Amino acid sequence: MTSTPTVTNITRIALVGAGVIGSGWAARCLANGMDVSVTDPDTASESKLRAAVDAAWPLLEEIGMPSSASRDRLVFESTIESAVASADFVQENVPEQATLKTEVHAEISHHTRPGVVIASSSSGLLPSEIQSQSVRPESHLIGHPFAPVYLLPLVEVVGGEKTSEQTINAAGTFYTSIGMRPLRVRKEIDAYIADRLQEAIWREALHLINDGVASVAEIDAAITGGPGLRWAFMGTLLGWHLGSGPGGMRQNLTQFGPALELPWCHMQAPELTEALQTRIIEGCDEETGQRPFSELERKRDRCLIEIQKVLAQHWYPPGEDGWPDFQSSREVPAEPSTGGDSA
Ligand SMILES: NC(=O)c1ccc[n+]([C@@H]2O[C@H](COP(=O)([O-])OP(=O)(O)OC[C@H]3O[C@@H](n4cnc5c(N)ncnc54)[C@H](O)[C@@H]3O)[C@@H](O)[C@H]2O)c1
């Protein structure tokens, strides 16, 4: 625990790594009126980053941005040191390799001002490892976003063994200030919450393709026409609670609980053979068809904006929609409760 106060007045963001996710953070932070400095060793990354921000900008203008928001506030720096030296908050977005991230976080910690939060966009690495070589381990955490970062509000916040409570709260407050909905992951685990869930679906999809049961497009249709429509506002558990009739989840468990004993509920991922990889890649090309990649991206973004407008109009407002309180000191029970009578 540090005695240095955590920096909470945040207007200057540093991004380390400017690929898909770094570009997404840049667009979101610029659109929220921040100064953004970026560094990436790839010489092509600056032009790709600026092109990605330009592509997202009209949509972000349409959603609404403060008059201070400007793409001119984006600066590209040649080193980590120059990018983070005057930053109020650092978001790292380098490739998902534990050793690289640990080294990059150590380097960042040498050049940031004391009290600056250093977040990683990692999709599943443990924060305790990432902070292990830092000179200020209490300042590091995971802030795991979802693509496209400039439109999706979820960011999973995960602290490591040495992360201070101040750091976690400052990150939650900052992410909220740029229009996100931070979800605190209270126990440090590989892949956190959302990617554990996504990985389970991915594993089953691989089996269905490998066994010749369904094509890539058929698997995607099985999501988009059914559960996916619900998932925009109602997770699997609440969806099943309602979908089971007045008996709710209690009824669901009686009806579907026994299926958990069946062999297909316990499958390991199939081997990612050359043949399986080819089927997945060709299946995606087939599903895409003649529709250009950039057109699909823009239509995806348009749908994400419109869905969120509909939810703002018809679903429960924040505070009444069941979203967990970030600041709560609630502990997650290690063992499921055996009592209780609420359905
Ligand atoms: N793509 C996604 O959907 C997604 C979603 C959530 C989180 N993430 C996570 O975000 C991180 C970045 O993923 P991505 O998809 O943007 O990858 P990416 O490959 O598109 O971008 C990574 C960038 O990091 C740069 N880089 C490499 N070494 C660097 C260094 N030492 N210093 C600065 N930059 C360096 C690369 O040149 C590249 O531009 C990963 O940890 C990933 O798991 C990805």
Side-chain angles (χ1 to χ4, degrees):
M1 184 73 73
T2 180
S3 54
T4 311
T6 303
V7 173
T8 52
N9 184 15
I10 295 166
T11 61
R12 288 167 300 182
I13 312 302
L15 301 172
V16 178
V20 175
I21 294 301
S23 302
W25 280 115
R28 179 179 278 278
C29 293
L30 290 165
N32 278 278
M34 307 264 159
D35 289 308
V36 177
S37 61
V38 186
T39 189
D40 191 305
D42 178 358
T43 49
S45 61
E46 179 174 0
S47 58
K48 284 196 240 170
L49 164 75
R50 291 191 186 277
V53 171
D54 286 346
W57 203 254
L59 291 169
L60 295 169
E61 278 183 316
E62 182 189 312
I63 294 170
M65 50 174 78
S67 55
S68 55
S70 167
R71 283 171 283 181
D72 295 340
R73 295 177 73 175
L74 176 66
V75 177
F76 214 86
E77 300 282 358
S78 56
T79 63
I80 287 181
E81 179 175 359
S82 52
V84 307
S86 60
D88 303 319
F89 190 101
V90 180
Q91 185 80 35
E92 164 276 308
N93 322 283
V94 305
E96 188 79 347
Q97 297 154 20
T99 308
L100 172 66
K101 285 207 190 266
T102 305
E103 286 169 4
V104 165
H105 275 252
E107 186 176 350
I108 294 170
S109 72
H110 281 286
H111 302 299
T112 42
R113 292 179 292 125
V116 168
V117 174
I118 306 168
S120 172
S121 294
S122 174
S123 307
L125 300 173
L126 296 180
S128 290
E129 182 167 6
I130 288 174
Q131 73 192 165
S132 62
Q133 305 299 319
S134 171
V135 294
R136 289 190 292 102
E138 71 281 355
S139 301
H140 300 253
L141 46 64
I142 305 294
H144 175 217
F146 293 79
V149 180
Y150 49 87
L151 290 180
L152 291 187
L154 176 62
V155 53
E156 292 181 307
V157 176
V158 197
E161 284 163 17
K162 295 184 175 165
T163 308
S164 72
E165 198 61 22
Q166 275 185 24
T167 298
I168 289 179
N169 286 330
T173 303
F174 166 64
Y175 290 135
T176 303
S177 78
I178 56 169
M180 301 184 90
R181 298 198 84 181
L183 177 67
R184 183 161 178 183
V185 180
R186 292 167 197 278
K187 286 189 179 175
E188 185 181 14
I189 58 160
D190 294 309
Y192 328 133
I193 299 173
D195 279 0
R196 282 286 181 104
L197 299 173
Q198 295 202 99
E199 209 51 45
I201 292 176
W202 167 237
R203 195 164 49 238
E204 292 304 321
L206 293 180
H207 274 297
L208 293 168
I209 295 167
N210 205 34
D211 296 346
V213 174
S215 68
V216 165
E218 285 163 351
I219 287 167
D220 280 347
I223 298 291
T224 57
L229 280 177
R230 251 188 347 234
W231 283 341
F233 57 103
M234 191 180 277
T236 294
L237 297 173
L238 183 58
W240 285 8
H241 180 56
L242 256 76
S244 303
M249 184 50 81
R250 194 175 292 281
Q251 163 64 16
N252 183 287
L253 292 174
T254 307
Q255 193 175 176
F256 299 111
L260 292 170
E261 304 295 329
L262 299 175
W264 63 266
C265 274
H266 300 273
M267 289 201 285
Q268 300 292 314
E271 189 189 341
L272 208 47
T273 60
E274 285 291 327
L276 178 54
Q277 292 187 44
T278 302
R279 271 201 222 173
I280 299 167
I281 293 165
E282 288 180 352
C284 285
D285 288 340
E286 217 172 280
E287 187 180 352
T288 304
Q290 297 304 310
R291 299 171 294 172
F293 200 87
S294 58
E295 181 184 294
L296 278 169
E297 281 182 316
R298 294 286 75 83
K299 283 188 180 286
R300 172 203 63 190
D301 288 359
R302 167 58 58 202
C303 289
L304 288 173
I305 289 173
E306 298 304 326
I307 287 168
Q308 291 182 78
K309 279 189 203 162
V310 168
L311 294 181
Q313 206 183 342
H314 297 287
W315 191 237
Y316 296 90
E320 293 173 28
D321 62 351
W323 191 278
D325 180 13
F326 187 82
Q327 304 274 349
S328 140
S329 57
R330 177 182 62 83
E331 291 288 324
V332 182
E335 298 293 334
S337 151
T338 50
D341 57 3
S342 61

